[in-house]
Amino acid sequence: MADFQTSTQRAKWIFTPQKLAERYKAANQRAVQLLEKCGTTQVEVDASGSLTYPTEKGDAREDQGDKKLKPLSVDEERFMRAFYEAKVQEVCSAFEFPHKIQATALQYFKRFYLQWSVMQHHPKEIMLTCVYAACKIEENHVSAEEIGKGIKQDHHVILKYEMAVLQSLEFDLIVYGPYRAMEGFVSNMEEFLQARDDEIQKLESLLKAATAEADKVMLTDAPLLFPPGQVALAALRIANGVLRVVDFDRYLENIVSQPNSEHTTSELIKLLDDIEYLVRNYKYPSEKDMKHINRKLKSCLGHSSSHDESKKREKRSKHKSHRNSSDTAKGPPIG
């Protein structure tokens, strides 16, 4: 992982747990203040990436009357992010994208919401744009139109948010995931075990199982807290706990005995334990949770139920008008 050592990811996008919690709280508070001052949190974006913030309204509270808008809590925002991070993996699986695209898209998404609250930019649009941007940077040439068509979403929305996403990432687009590192560790294990054919097959099975475990780790905060090499080792250790392919403690001792090692064995074990703790304590929102959060989010974004209903009525009216004019132009049906 020599490239990682000099990367912006290591310099700027790996945090302590305390610092990460502060970033999420600060993003949430910015949106809460917008809601209090303006009665909405929606930040509009145009295709150039220009942002339009909601305007302050002195009578915002009077307009709301008794129905005081309630912002999402930090925990509710975490649930919303978790829901759409899982969607990132679903979209990438549906398109059969390589794991490196999934890892890049997830990290783009995670980084974006260190700068913004989900109350300011809906994760549905950001999620798709992150997948599209990851495809471009990883040179997997899929158009926004193909992505939109494949999951029945408007591809113009993907393109509209592209510049805003890139700016929020501070154009730090090179991302290191755990998957390549896992391959390197498994190759190293072959030498460590002086593996024969049957052991090589077991190591291949270990890599496959560890890849699935890494997918789970990537849904936690681990990519923002730990280097990809440690995430890779944690995934391998979890998988090895089931398959028992290698004496993992001995293998870790072998790693830390190398001249460039930064940790003792006990330090490394503690770091891997911390990553496993995140996986064990990962919480995915229930359907009931999401209904409640979505209802609150709609209100914060200014999409109240009455607003939605009027939109539906307008759409039905347009459809009816279009149908009547079509019928007039074509004349009555024959037969």
Side-chain angles (χ1 to χ4, degrees):
M1 299 302 292
D3 291 338
F4 171 77
Q5 297 303 320
T6 56
S7 68
T8 56
Q9 183 171 338
R10 184 173 188 259
K12 293 168 60 179
W13 298 103
I14 301 288
F15 304 90
T16 64
Q18 294 78 13
K19 190 69 179 173
L20 189 60
E22 286 169 14
R23 291 289 293 265
Y24 285 137
K25 187 175 180 181
N28 176 268
Q29 283 303 305
R30 287 192 292 271
V32 170
Q33 288 166 8
L34 266 184
L35 190 63
E36 289 172 353
K37 290 178 182 177
C38 308
T40 180
T41 55
Q42 177 81 60
V43 177
E44 299 291 347
V45 179
D46 67 20
S48 69
S50 297
L51 306 174
T52 305
Y53 287 81
T55 53
E56 190 169 336
K57 295 178 182 177
D59 60 347
R61 289 183 184 178
E62 290 174 26
D63 289 345
Q64 290 157 17
D66 294 333
K67 293 183 179 178
K68 189 173 186 296
L69 294 174
K70 292 182 180 178
L72 270 62
S73 67
V74 172
D75 284 341
E76 286 170 333
E77 288 213 49
R78 179 173 51 79
F79 266 165
M80 181 63 83
R81 291 194 306 270
F83 180 82
Y84 282 99
E85 285 173 8
K87 290 291 181 191
V88 168
Q89 289 191 338
E90 284 179 28
V91 170
C92 290
S93 295
F95 280 93
E96 298 182 349
F97 290 148
H99 275 89
K100 65 178 181 176
I101 289 178
Q102 175 185 292
T104 298
L106 272 172
Q107 293 199 71
Y108 284 176
F109 185 88
K110 288 174 184 291
R111 291 179 186 184
F112 183 89
Y113 283 110
L114 291 174
Q115 319 282 38
W116 298 98
S117 161
V118 301
M119 291 182 277
Q120 293 171 297
H121 298 287
H122 200 295
K124 184 178 181 181
E125 281 85 23
I126 301 306
M127 176 267 294
L128 295 173
T129 304
C130 288
V131 172
Y132 173 61
C135 286
K136 287 176 77 171
I137 197 67
E138 298 294 351
E139 298 183 353
N140 190 305
H141 301 295
V142 180
S143 69
E145 195 169 4
E146 284 176 272
I147 292 174
K149 189 176 179 182
I151 53 177
K152 298 177 182 176
Q153 297 294 332
D154 182 2
H155 73 280
H156 292 104
V157 174
I158 299 173
L159 294 172
K160 183 177 85 165
Y161 279 97
E162 183 179 11
M163 187 52 66
V165 166
L166 298 182
Q167 287 170 344
S168 298
L169 300 177
E170 300 174 16
F171 295 95
D172 295 332
L173 304 180
I174 304 299
V175 167
Y176 296 89
Y179 302 99
R180 187 177 170 189
M182 282 195 303
E183 291 173 4
F185 282 127
V186 168
S187 178
N188 181 251
M189 284 176 185
E190 286 185 26
E191 296 176 29
F192 173 71
L193 293 172
Q194 298 180 329
R196 296 181 295 276
D197 289 348
D198 60 328
E199 287 172 319
I200 288 171
Q201 273 194 324
K202 287 179 182 178
L203 285 171
E204 286 172 1
S205 298
L206 176 64
L207 179 60
K208 186 176 179 180
T211 300
E213 295 299 335
D215 287 348
K216 296 175 191 174
V217 179
M218 290 299 292
L219 292 174
T220 72
D221 284 335
L224 297 170
L225 297 170
F226 300 93
Q230 291 173 12
V231 173
L233 269 177
L236 282 162
R237 191 175 74 158
I238 294 168
N240 188 71
V242 177
L243 298 178
R244 305 288 179 191
V245 176
V246 63
D247 182 334
F248 218 85
D249 286 344
R250 270 190 60 230
Y251 179 64
L252 291 179
E253 286 169 9
N254 179 65
I255 290 175
V256 300
S257 69
Q258 304 302 317
N260 59 349
S261 176
E262 297 178 8
H263 303 287
T264 64
T265 305
S266 59
E267 286 171 344
L268 187 53
I269 287 172
K270 172 68 168 62
L271 291 166
L272 302 189
D273 286 344
D274 289 344
I275 295 172
E276 285 193 40
Y277 177 83
L278 290 175
V279 177
R280 285 197 308 272
N281 289 274
Y282 171 78
K283 289 184 176 66
Y284 183 79
S286 67
E287 190 176 337
K288 184 180 176 182
D289 290 327
M290 288 307 298
K291 277 185 180 177
H292 174 70
I293 295 168
N294 272 316
R295 197 157 47 239
K296 285 179 73 174
L297 182 58
K298 270 189 175 183
S299 298
C300 293
L301 293 170
H303 303 157
S304 65
S305 55
S306 60
H307 172 82
D308 289 346
E309 196 54 46
S310 68
K311 280 281 188 187
K312 286 176 187 174
R313 281 199 299 270
E314 185 184 336
K315 194 172 181 181
R316 283 198 298 266
S317 174
K318 281 183 180 177
H319 178 69
K320 188 176 180 182
S321 170
H322 175 73
R323 193 180 61 206
N324 288 344
S325 64
S326 298
D327 291 347
T328 305
K330 292 177 184 175
I334 298 170

